[in-house]
Every structure is written in structure tokens, then in C-alpha cells.
Amino acid sequence: MTQSVDHFALLPLYAAAGTALLILLAEVTAGRRAVVLGAALLGAAATAVCAGVVAGQGERSTFCLGPDCSWVATPLAGLAAVVFAGLTAGVLALSVPTLRLGAAPAGEFCFLLACSMTGGVTVAYAGDLITLIVGLETLTLPLYVLVGLRRFAPRERVTTAGASAAVTFFLISVVSTALALLGAALLYAATGALHLSSLGGDAAARALAELGLSVQDLGGQGVGAPATLATVGAALLVVGFGFKVAAVPLHAWAPATYDGAPVPVAAYLSTASKLGGVVALAAVVPQLDTGWLVAVLAVLTMTVGNLVALRQTRMVRLLAWSSIAQAGYILAPLAAGGAGVQAALAYAVFFVVLEFVAFGALVALRRPAADGGEIADYRGAGRRAPWRGAALVLAFAGLAGLPPGLAGLFAKVTIVDVLIDTGWAWLAGVVALNAVIALAYYVRAAAVLYAPESPAGVRSRVAPSVAAAVALGAAVAVLVGLAPQLIFNALSP
């Protein structure tokens, strides 16, 4: 059987990989930081344009054998590729002040970021498990180096933390990759399928039929043995991919890694890397019978993330635990299978945009090459820098679902609506409860920005009673807004 190749569908990949090569050439020939950064930004823009052009042509596929294809160019994949390219360009822009200080070599930094973008594009268009896993690893591997890539740091603690964060990230990632590969191997052994379109349904039965076996050949036990093997493989694959979104139990790396990495790199980890994991999970979960496993992971992830975030005193760690909780919200609709994929992806795009705005505000409020600092360090920052403080508050409000960031509330209501419509009402209740818990730390962090500045040498905090009262009032408002929708959906036939 002849394999077809559509080079037009591969344009986004060519542009992303070409960006990495262009950066290498710019570094070797010019050796100037401005030229290297310009090449990286030009390549990211070209990747976004190519993804948009391909998406405008509808669905296209390549590397096909029969009906199954390893590269599937859909409009949704094009949107994901555009987001990856946009996040890459944004992180490059945030990194300019740090690179000017020489805190990291510009050539290596931009090259690694472009390689990671190439992995993200590959994940977006992947049509089989091999391409998907290779794309995820290409997205993640450069980040191990970026986390600890510094020539010097303002404080010795940051240098030590960066090295420790990189090692922690690497070790847990190796474990998760091993789980994902083992899961993929078991799925292949049970079903004989690697393409995502062939994983679901009666894949085990089809695999037996292709081998000329029948129910009687298995001693009257039907396809029980292959089905059990496929179930175990699916579970391992989901848990392995869960690492990319920092889902429990492979979540502990995120706070330490985010806090030890340069803030722009932490922004990329919290957005692009997480988006890659969401796209991978959205590609495999609807094809596999893992609804209850995903539901349990979602409950644990959002609950652990929110409860631990309540006790954080460092700003980046607060955002890290918050992003873990947000990953739980994203996982929740995936428990409903294909019916929840659109809601999960929409929420994921919404989340990465607001998360990036939050990290961008942190970079703007801190000195170049400084770490995220303590939450108390931002006391009065909104008064000193009104626009930057307002951007951070807007990001917090959007993530919490409070005015003026009502898009966050609508996104959570959409998830709740999908869960109720598909028979997961109890999971919808858990999502609503966790959304209320999260209000406490978002309100506390936002209140610090506009609290009166303390006298020199005195560090004070926003009164817990004030933060709790504001959070309680906001929670009541959210519940009042959600109650009619929840009651209506629960009583609807």
C-alpha cells in the first residue's frame, strides 16, 4: 500500500523546525542578540501564519495508510498550533530584559524555545500514538535545559533552585514517559492499533479478527484478556500524559520547577507545556474507556491544587498550585468522553491566555532576571504601577471567574453544563465547590496589590478576616449565579 504525503499539510511543522535552524544560522553568522531574537520572532510568526493558512483549507491528512493517518490537519489543530506559536513569541518578548543582562545565552535560549514549539506543533497535528509521544517529548526535553539555563543569577538561592528544579522536572518526566510508553505498548499488544482513530470501540475484537481468532478460540472467554490488557494500557497512558498538565499524582514537580525557573520559562511551562498535555489527553481519552479514571484524577487534582494554594506565600508557587487546580477543571469534562472535548479545549485556551497574562504582569512588576518573590513583596504594587497591577488583577479575576473576568465564570458554567448533561452531576458539584474554594487565594493575592504599603522594614499582610470576608461574599455571588443553572439542568428531563 502506497503512503501519501501532503507537504502543504506539513507547512506548520516545516516553519517551526525551520525556525530552530534559522536561529542556529543567525547565531553562527551574525552572533548578535537582536538578530537572533528577530529570527526567533519571525519564525514564530511564520509558524502561526502557516497554521492559519492550512486550517483555512479544511481538514487535510498525510502519512496515511488506508483510512488511518499519522498527521491530521484540522482547524482545531491549527488553532492549537497558532496558540503554541503565540506563546513562544510572548515568552521571547518577556525574556528580552533578562537576555540583555546576559543572564542566559540568547542563541541557546531561542533555539531551545523553537525546538519546544516544534514539539507543540507536532502534538497538535498528531494522528497516532508514536507521533503524539514524540511530539510531547520534543515539547518537554528543551524545557529541562531552559529551567536551569543561567550564566549568573541575582541571588545564590535562585541558582541552586534552578538546578534543583531542572533535576526534579527531569526525573519525574522520565517516570511519566515510561508510564506512557508502557501504556502505548500494552494498547498496541491488545488492539494492534497505533492510530488514534483506531483505538476506541471494539479494537480488541477487531485485532482478534485480523489474527483469525474467535470467541471460541479464547476458551469461551470472548475478548476479555485483550480487553483487560487494553484497559491497563489506557490507564497508564492517561496517567503518563497527566504529567504534562501537572495532574495528581505526578504533580509535585510543578511548584518547585516553576519557582526555580526564570519567570518567563515558568510562564511557558505553565501554558505551552500544559496545553500540549491537554491536547494529548483530548486526543486519546475519547477513544478509550477511562471516564472514571479521568474523573478521579480531576477531583484529586483540583482539590489538592486549591487546598495547597491557600497556604502559599510565594507568588509563583501560588500560580503553580493554581494551575494544578485549573488542570483539574480541564480534566473534568474529558471524563464525559467525546462530548466534553470541546469544552475542555476551550477552557484550556482560555486558561493559558490568562495564565500568560499573569506571568507577564509578574515579569513587568519585578526587576529583570529576578525571581517571582514573595506575595508580600507585591504589597502596594497596584498603586505604584496601575496598569501592570490591573493586568495581574484581571488575570486573577478571570481565573477565579469574578468580574470583570466573567469569561472565567462562563467557562466554568460550560464545564458544569456539559457534565450535568452527560450524567456526571456529582463531578459538576465538585467543580463548583472547588471554584468557590479558589476564590480565597485569588482575592488575597489581588488585595495585596492595593493594600497600603508598610513602613520601611516592616512586612505586613492583608488581614485574613478581610480576605475571607471578601472571598465569602464573592463565593455567595457565584453560587447565586450558578444555582438557577444547576437546578434547571438537574430537573430537566
Side-chain angles (χ1 to χ4, degrees):
M1 185 179 295
T2 304
Q3 187 178 74
S4 62
V5 178
D6 183 356
H7 291 283
F8 183 81
L10 293 169
L11 278 180
L13 180 63
Y14 293 157
T19 301
L21 295 177
L22 182 63
I23 291 170
L24 283 180
L25 290 175
E27 175 71 10
V28 171
T29 57
R32 296 175 57 189
R33 182 174 55 250
V35 175
V36 172
L37 285 170
L41 289 171
L42 179 64
T47 302
V49 170
C50 289
V53 170
V54 173
Q57 301 298 313
E59 184 169 338
R60 303 175 70 105
S61 302
T62 188
F63 297 125
C64 298
L65 288 174
D68 298 322
C69 300
S70 296
W71 189 270
V72 183
T74 63
L76 191 58
L79 174 62
V82 169
V83 174
F84 279 118
L87 291 172
T88 302
V91 169
L92 285 170
L94 294 181
S95 303
V96 170
T98 302
L99 294 176
R100 283 177 178 170
L101 293 178
E108 289 87 334
F109 184 91
C110 294
F111 172 75
L112 290 169
L113 205 58
C115 290
S116 187
M117 177 180 68
T118 304
V121 171
T122 303
V123 170
Y125 292 97
D128 63 55
L129 287 177
I130 294 178
T131 305
L132 191 61
I133 293 175
V134 169
L136 281 174
E137 292 310 303
T138 306
L139 170 64
T140 305
L141 282 172
L143 299 179
Y144 304 151
V145 183
L146 284 174
V147 168
L149 184 65
R150 295 190 179 188
R151 284 194 178 121
F152 68 89
R155 292 184 296 173
E156 185 178 354
R157 188 201 71 80
V158 178
T159 306
T160 305
S164 175
V167 172
T168 302
F169 185 28
F170 172 75
L171 291 177
I172 299 181
S173 180
V174 167
V175 174
S176 70
T177 302
L179 290 176
L181 288 173
L182 179 58
L186 293 178
L187 275 174
Y188 180 72
T191 65
L194 283 175
H195 291 89
L196 302 178
S197 58
S198 303
L199 290 179
D202 55 349
R206 291 198 306 269
L208 288 175
E210 291 176 359
L211 295 174
L213 299 177
S214 63
V215 173
Q216 290 74 19
D217 296 326
L218 294 175
Q221 297 180 2
V223 294
T228 301
L229 196 63
T231 300
V232 175
L236 291 174
L237 189 66
V238 169
V239 172
F241 284 173
F243 160 82
K244 307 301 179 183
V245 299
V248 173
L250 298 176
H251 67 287
W253 64 272
T257 302
Y258 290 10
D259 199 25
V263 179
V265 175
Y268 198 77
L269 278 169
S270 185
T271 55
S273 179
K274 194 176 292 288
L275 180 62
V278 172
V279 171
L281 287 169
V284 300
V285 168
Q287 311 297 331
L288 306 172
D289 186 18
T290 56
W292 280 98
L293 173 62
V294 175
V296 171
L297 290 179
V299 170
L300 292 175
T301 301
M302 69 179 78
T303 304
V304 171
N306 281 323
L307 292 180
V308 180
L310 293 171
R311 300 179 56 83
Q312 298 307 304
T313 59
R314 292 187 60 80
M315 185 63 82
V316 171
R317 282 185 176 265
L318 175 69
L319 287 175
W321 284 106
S322 164
S323 73
I324 292 173
Q326 297 287 341
Y329 303 146
I330 296 171
L331 287 174
L334 292 179
V341 169
Q342 188 174 358
L345 291 176
Y347 192 94
V349 172
F350 153 81
F351 159 73
V352 298
V353 171
L354 285 178
E355 187 81 351
F356 185 81
V357 171
F359 273 100
L362 294 190
V363 172
L365 289 169
R366 302 288 290 172
R367 299 186 312 276
D371 64 354
E374 301 283 338
I375 295 176
D377 296 338
Y378 293 83
R379 187 177 185 88
R383 298 168 180 262
R384 298 189 301 270
W387 288 106
R388 288 171 284 177
L392 185 55
V393 170
L394 179 62
F396 285 149
L399 292 171
L402 295 174
L406 289 177
L409 177 60
F410 296 148
K412 288 182 173 66
V413 170
T414 301
I415 289 177
V416 169
D417 193 37
V418 168
L419 291 173
I420 292 177
D421 288 344
T422 53
W424 293 87
W426 69 270
L427 184 55
V430 175
V431 170
L433 178 61
N434 273 276
V436 172
I437 295 173
L439 295 175
Y441 59 81
Y442 284 128
V443 170
R444 176 171 66 95
V448 168
L449 294 170
Y450 294 96
E453 296 192 49
S454 305
V458 178
R459 297 184 65 180
S460 60
R461 302 169 61 184
V462 174
S465 57
V466 175
V470 176
L472 181 59
V476 171
V478 171
L479 288 178
V480 169
L482 283 176
Q485 178 77 7
L486 292 174
I487 294 173
F488 174 78
N489 288 328
L491 297 178
S492 298

